[in-house]
Amino acid sequence: HGISSTLQTETGKAQEYAAGTLSNFALEPSTQYKMALAHIFIDPVFEVLRNNCENSCKSLLCGFIANLSVEPNNQFFLFEKGIYEWSFTTIKNSFPWTNEKLQLVEKCCSIIDNLSDDERVAIMILEQKYLSSILTLLNNLYADFGGSVVAQRFLCSSLSSLSFVEQNRAQMFDAVQPLIDVFTKSDDSKLRYFICQTFHFLCNCDENKSRLVKLEEFIQLLIIGANFNTEYREKCCGSLCALSFSEENRVQLVSLGVVDCLISVIKSDDHDNKAAMFSFGCLLGLSINDQNRTTLVETYDIYEVLKIALSYAEFELENEIETTSLYYSCLILQNLFLSEENIEYLMDSYPDIVDLIINTIKNDSEQISDVARALCDSLTLTDEQQIIIKNYENELKQKERL
């Protein structure tokens, strides 16, 4: 009560100390405590903020709200109180952004980011047409007068949270070109990570897939992101994988140079297994197309790539990601084997292919083993190879009896 009274009736240092005390209180991690602070203090704090208190006090109170907005149970409540809209107004009224005012801008951007984590809020943000406000602010932070990479990160993180909600993804297509521009201008890895994460979510929307592939600049950005061992490589490979499962995209993705990128990721020594798994997944999507199947076999060293995953079958796989990569590789071969010409070419060029497939039958995964058996059925096997398969099947039956 004393703090609330001081905030509303005093000015200068007394008001500033009360604001600082509140800001420190909000650092307490307890959910119940943060919820209680929000319900008790948000109205008097908001009233003080609307009455244009001094910048030092405003910054502390904004920090107080930012700390409260971290708590998921507060996010919808704060949005309904008008804090989201107030944050944009405060940023706009703080222009021109001096170094002191940029700290206030960063805290407002933190609030914008935190409130976006609530799914209900994320839907309402799009419904209330705030997307253009976020993109305009993000662009303004790159203007000649200077900006804050911290604020930019918060805004890009907010966009990632908005795109996480499936209902929002088609509406967020308008964010793609502005984010490409930001990615190109910035060399900040965290900022780029949030942008690539947003792209990954948007690529998993059927309505967006064909539109995104038509943006050659977008595909080239994903290729660049995937070619370097960065923390956002996995997101770029995941985006390409999602796009490849749209029939109308498959030939165009190959023509844009995606396959070389995927092969490079799989062959790299960086052991980013999830990026490799998405790369195998993308090759699987591409191999569904008749034209691509011929191109993959005749133009690219596709078997040498698949061999990497097939070699996993020699080991006891504890890693689900490697198991998935092996499964995708078997399915890619299954697609390639739909063409007799491809079978003949692969058998002639890579004599060890049959032994690797036979070895894969022994994998503990029933799905993988079944696909490998189907692959063997489409090949001409020697008597010795048929005996190996028969012996293994007999061993399996014995284990089942035991």
Side-chain angles (χ1 to χ4, degrees):
H1 177 76
I3 293 171
S4 179
S5 176
T6 303
L7 269 176
Q8 293 176 287
T9 60
E10 300 291 338
T11 57
K13 286 295 181 183
Q15 189 184 51
E16 186 179 328
Y17 289 149
T21 303
L22 270 186
S23 184
N24 290 334
F25 280 168
L27 293 172
E28 166 62 44
S30 164
T31 293
Q32 295 302 320
Y33 192 79
K34 283 185 185 290
M35 290 175 66
L37 284 175
H39 284 79
I40 293 169
F41 284 106
I42 197 61
D43 287 333
V45 165
F46 207 11
E47 184 178 341
V48 171
L49 287 169
R50 282 190 294 234
N51 289 334
N52 293 321
C53 59
E54 293 182 12
N55 282 333
S56 56
C57 179
K58 184 182 288 186
S59 181
L60 288 167
L61 291 179
C62 194
F64 167 71
I65 297 173
N67 290 332
L68 293 182
S69 67
V70 173
E71 169 54 46
N73 291 294
N74 281 341
Q75 289 161 356
F76 187 72
F77 171 74
L78 293 174
F79 184 84
E80 286 194 311
K81 286 290 184 179
I83 296 298
Y84 193 85
E85 182 180 3
W86 173 85
S87 298
F88 281 103
T89 303
T90 300
I91 292 170
K92 183 179 179 181
N93 292 340
S94 299
F95 184 81
W97 298 330
T98 60
N99 287 337
E100 180 186 2
K101 288 181 178 178
L102 271 177
Q103 293 180 10
L104 178 62
V105 170
E106 288 171 0
K107 290 174 182 177
C108 287
C109 288
S110 171
I111 294 170
I112 291 168
D113 180 24
N114 291 335
L115 297 188
S116 303
D117 289 340
D118 184 284
E119 184 172 337
R120 294 167 299 173
V121 173
I123 291 170
M124 292 173 72
I125 287 170
L126 269 289
E127 288 176 347
Q128 296 179 22
K129 311 297 183 185
Y130 279 110
L131 179 59
S132 61
S133 299
I134 299 172
L135 297 173
T136 299
L137 177 56
L138 185 58
N139 180 66
N140 288 345
L141 284 164
Y142 277 99
D144 292 337
F145 52 78
S148 161
V149 69
V150 174
Q152 294 158 17
R153 286 176 188 168
F154 282 133
L155 293 178
C156 288
S157 174
S158 169
L159 290 168
S160 174
S161 297
L162 297 179
S163 62
F164 176 76
V165 180
E166 191 171 346
Q167 181 177 327
N168 286 346
R169 290 173 186 169
Q171 300 175 66
M172 288 195 63
F173 181 79
D174 291 341
V176 173
Q177 188 59 56
L179 287 177
I180 291 174
D181 296 339
V182 173
F183 185 97
T184 305
K185 292 175 187 174
S186 176
D187 59 358
D188 183 76
S189 60
K190 289 185 178 178
L191 190 71
R192 286 184 158 194
Y193 175 85
F194 289 129
I195 292 172
C196 290
Q197 184 165 259
T198 301
F199 289 159
H200 188 194
F201 291 137
L202 297 185
C203 286
N204 280 279
C205 169
D206 290 339
E207 194 173 331
N208 287 339
K209 288 180 180 179
S210 60
R211 295 192 290 176
L212 288 169
V213 171
K214 289 173 184 174
L215 294 174
E216 186 172 340
E217 188 180 3
F218 176 75
I219 302 302
Q220 294 308 317
L221 182 152
L222 295 181
I223 290 173
I224 290 169
N227 271 327
F228 294 97
N229 185 24
T230 58
E231 57 190 47
Y232 46 86
R233 164 186 258 184
E234 171 196 315
K235 303 299 178 186
C236 294
C237 293
S239 297
L240 291 170
C241 179
L243 293 175
S244 73
F245 280 88
S246 173
E247 175 59 39
E248 58 189 303
N249 288 345
R250 289 172 182 143
V251 173
Q252 191 170 358
L253 283 171
V254 171
S255 69
L256 290 172
V258 164
V259 177
D260 283 324
C261 163
L262 300 172
I263 291 174
S264 175
V265 171
I266 293 169
K267 285 185 171 182
S268 72
D269 296 323
D270 300 319
H271 304 294
D272 189 345
N273 291 332
K274 205 161 188 181
M277 181 193 74
F278 282 131
S279 297
F280 280 120
C282 187
L283 286 173
L284 172 59
L286 298 178
S287 69
I288 295 171
N289 177 271
D290 290 342
Q291 181 179 329
N292 284 350
R293 281 198 285 269
T294 303
T295 304
L296 287 172
V297 170
E298 295 182 358
T299 307
Y300 298 97
D301 199 7
I302 192 66
Y303 174 66
E304 289 300 321
V305 174
L306 297 178
K307 190 176 178 180
I308 294 173
L310 291 174
S311 66
Y312 295 161
E314 298 176 17
F315 309 101
E316 186 176 342
L317 296 180
E318 298 177 359
N319 187 330
E320 186 179 343
I321 294 171
E322 290 184 345
T323 302
T324 304
S325 294
L326 174 57
Y327 180 55
Y328 286 165
S329 294
C330 291
L331 292 176
I332 293 167
L333 275 174
Q334 193 172 55
N335 287 338
L336 298 180
F337 281 10
L338 291 173
S339 162
E340 290 291 337
E341 290 81 4
N342 284 346
I343 294 176
E344 186 177 341
Y345 178 86
L346 289 169
M347 292 281 284
D348 289 344
S349 303
Y350 308 101
D352 62 337
I353 188 170
V354 179
D355 291 334
L356 277 173
I357 294 171
I358 291 172
N359 197 41
T360 304
I361 294 177
K362 302 176 184 179
N363 190 266
D364 291 337
S365 166
E366 189 175 336
Q367 275 186 317
I368 293 173
S369 184
D370 287 347
V371 177
R373 278 193 181 90
L375 288 171
C376 286
D377 289 342
S378 62
L379 299 173
T380 303
L381 303 178
T382 64
D383 291 342
E384 184 181 350
Q385 288 167 338
Q386 289 176 358
I387 290 170
I388 292 172
I389 295 175
K390 191 69 176 175
N391 288 341
Y392 170 70
E393 288 175 342
N394 289 334
E395 286 176 22
L396 202 59
K397 286 176 183 176
Q398 273 190 319
K399 287 180 181 177
E400 288 173 354
R401 289 195 197 100
L402 292 173

